[in-house]
Amino acid sequence: MTRSPSRSDPDSPDALGTPSRRAALRLLDAVLRRGEPLEQALVAATRHVYGPDRGLAHAIAAEVLRRLPDLDALIDSVTERPLPDDAKARMALRIALVQALVLGTPHHAAIATVLPLVEGGPRKLVHGVFGAITRSGVLLPELPALPPKVETRWEAIWGADMAEGARLAIAAPPPLDLTLADPGETDHWVAELGGTSLMPGHVRIVDAAPVTELPGFAEGRWWVQDIAASIPARLLADRASGTAIDLCAAPGGKTLQLSAAGLTVAAIDVSSARIKRLRENLFRTRLKAEVIAADVLKWAPAEPADALLIDAPCSATGIFRRHPDVLHRVHPAIIEEMALLQARLFARAADWVKPGGTLVFATCSLEPQEGEAQLSRFLSDRKDYAIDAPDAALLPPGVPVHTDGYVRTLPGMLADQGGCDGFFIARLRRTG
């Protein structure tokens, strides 16, 4: 017999659409209270919702995280005493307001679907605060505020212009970037997909259909990869031939680039789930690589390679516009922990490059501890390595080569074309 939903069932639809809001609440709790990455929390948080409702839960949570300081400022402006940060009433208001003010949900639906989240709690308060804010006609700022600690840190390191660029970058989900298996087909895929290109082998699409429904996906003619994320392998493929090792390789975008460029690639990663995605991507694109499941701090190759790519684990603060959760869960202790891991990995793997070979070190981080300081420390320890500065022609117009020979992408770069993720990339030559 089919069980009828009841009000005691935590996922009963007290109002149509409530289960997706419950899932959004679970996602936000996972990120803000437990410090989990949003994507990692998605499976457990959405276990009782399916199809479009799962996507809606993710969209609501992501938009709350993009706009969190501004949403809280609105809530605090109409309450006599601030609600605790982790109070369900505050969480429900964040979810209701982001629907009404960002996602275009009718106001009655936005509040009706969140009131069941505070059943047994201050429902009248939630309803009253929501009504006071929406009746006032107030709008969220065009450029979201960054979390104060993040803004202070980035302004101190990079200056006010970078922080302004970060606010612009997080104002809306970014465009979809594709890397092509054959750069010679760039004009064809720009026309086929209705996109633009910032350099050969790249296509950018705005308001794209679901990725799996786009032309060329099933045939493996391209893969999703931010243009900044494509730079490390571009710099390696330009100088290298023969064998290449891609460390921390999954889900495989850079492995695919190296294979498509004609290198014989060994791709190493410790995560079985991520390796599964790497194998799927290789199968779809019909590209080849040896896939090795191993901890790179314990594994070693049988012999050195002509090229080595260290796509090092990092805080991932450079991909905040795609993953706004990093703004709220990454703090200095995590950054320092990741920097120590990178230093161990960098030092260990440096011996896996043949004399005369090329090493590229990259992180998707905006923290100097995970980039500039890492490179400086490595070069002071390894006199058999030297910077191999890339030609500017290998980079998208608007992304410069630093005077010290490395590449640093920052919020604000390529802003008129849709922006790019934050990366640090250094290409080195082993001299002896």
Side-chain angles (χ1 to χ4, degrees), residues 262-321:
L263 283 85
T264 301
V265 185
I268 296 88
D269 202 282
V270 71
S271 167
S272 57
R274 287 168 58 85
I275 282 178
K276 180 181 177 183
R277 291 179 59 197
L278 191 158
R279 292 185 186 279
E280 290 171 349
N281 285 327
L282 286 167
F283 179 79
R284 180 176 62 85
T285 58
R286 299 170 179 82
L287 293 169
K288 294 182 179 181
E290 180 186 7
V291 179
I292 301 170
D295 180 346
V296 295
L297 292 175
K298 300 176 181 178
W299 176 87
E303 57 184 16
D306 299 294
L308 174 67
L309 174 56
I310 306 176
D311 185 16
C314 70
S315 64
T317 53
I319 58 174
F320 69 95
R321 62 189 192 138

Side-chain angles (χ1 to χ4, degrees), residues 5 7 35 43 65 112 158 255 258 266 333 398:
R7 295 180 67 85
V43 172
L65 294 169
W158 305 111
T255 294
L258 297 175

Side-chain angles (χ1 to χ4, degrees), residues 199 235 389-401 407 427:
M199 62 188 309
L235 300 191
D391 191 293
L394 293 174
L395 304 175
V399 174
V401 178
V407 177
R427 185 171 69 180

Side-chain angles (χ1 to χ4, degrees), residues 69-324:
D70 297 316
L71 292 167
D72 283 347
L74 284 183
I75 294 166
D76 293 341
S77 72
V78 295
T79 54
E80 292 184 8
R81 294 185 298 274
L83 297 168
D85 284 346
D86 60 351
K88 273 195 175 182
R90 184 181 287 277
M91 286 290 205
L93 282 164
R94 290 164 171 168
I95 292 170
L97 288 169
V98 86
Q99 291 178 83
L101 301 180
V102 180
L103 298 178
T105 305
H107 291 188
H108 70 275
I111 188 63
T113 53
V114 303
L115 286 178
L117 306 185
V118 288
E119 187 170 7
R123 293 175 63 141
K124 288 185 178 180
L125 171 66
V126 171
H127 200 287
V129 171
F130 179 83
I133 293 172
T134 53
R135 285 193 302 270
S136 71
V138 69
L139 298 175
L140 290 168
E142 182 177 355
L143 296 186
L146 297 172
K149 290 182 180 180
V150 175
E151 183 169 16
T152 298
R153 184 173 80 240
W154 285 354
E155 280 195 351
I157 298 168
W158 305 111
D161 287 347
M162 180 276 201
E164 182 75 4
R167 288 190 289 271
L168 177 63
I170 203 173
L176 181 70
D177 280 352
L178 309 178
T179 295
L180 304 181
D182 182 358
E185 296 181 344
T186 302
D187 290 344
H188 166 77
W189 287 112
V190 166
E192 181 75 16
L193 296 165
T196 58
S197 179
L198 303 187
M199 62 188 309
H202 166 265
V203 177
R204 172 163 288 181
I205 312 171
V206 178
D207 297 326
V211 169
T212 57
E213 297 177 11
L214 292 173
F217 173 83
E219 297 79 13
R221 302 314 304 154
W222 48 259
W223 50 90
V224 176
Q225 186 178 40
D226 185 81
I227 192 166
S230 74
I231 293 174
R234 287 177 182 270
L235 300 191
L236 197 59
D238 177 68
R239 282 293 172 90
S241 60
T243 58
I245 299 172
D246 183 7
L247 297 183
C248 311
K254 298 174 182 65
T255 294
L256 300 179
Q257 286 179 272
L258 297 175
S259 178
L263 283 85
T264 301
V265 185
I268 296 88
D269 202 282
V270 71
S271 167
S272 57
R274 287 168 58 85
I275 282 178
K276 180 181 177 183
R277 291 179 59 197
L278 191 158
R279 292 185 186 279
E280 290 171 349
N281 285 327
L282 286 167
F283 179 79
R284 180 176 62 85
T285 58
R286 299 170 179 82
L287 293 169
K288 294 182 179 181
E290 180 186 7
V291 179
I292 301 170
D295 180 346
V296 295
L297 292 175
K298 300 176 181 178
W299 176 87
E303 57 184 16
D306 299 294
L308 174 67
L309 174 56
I310 306 176
D311 185 16
C314 70
S315 64
T317 53
I319 58 174
F320 69 95
R321 62 189 192 138
R322 300 179 186 281
H323 302 281

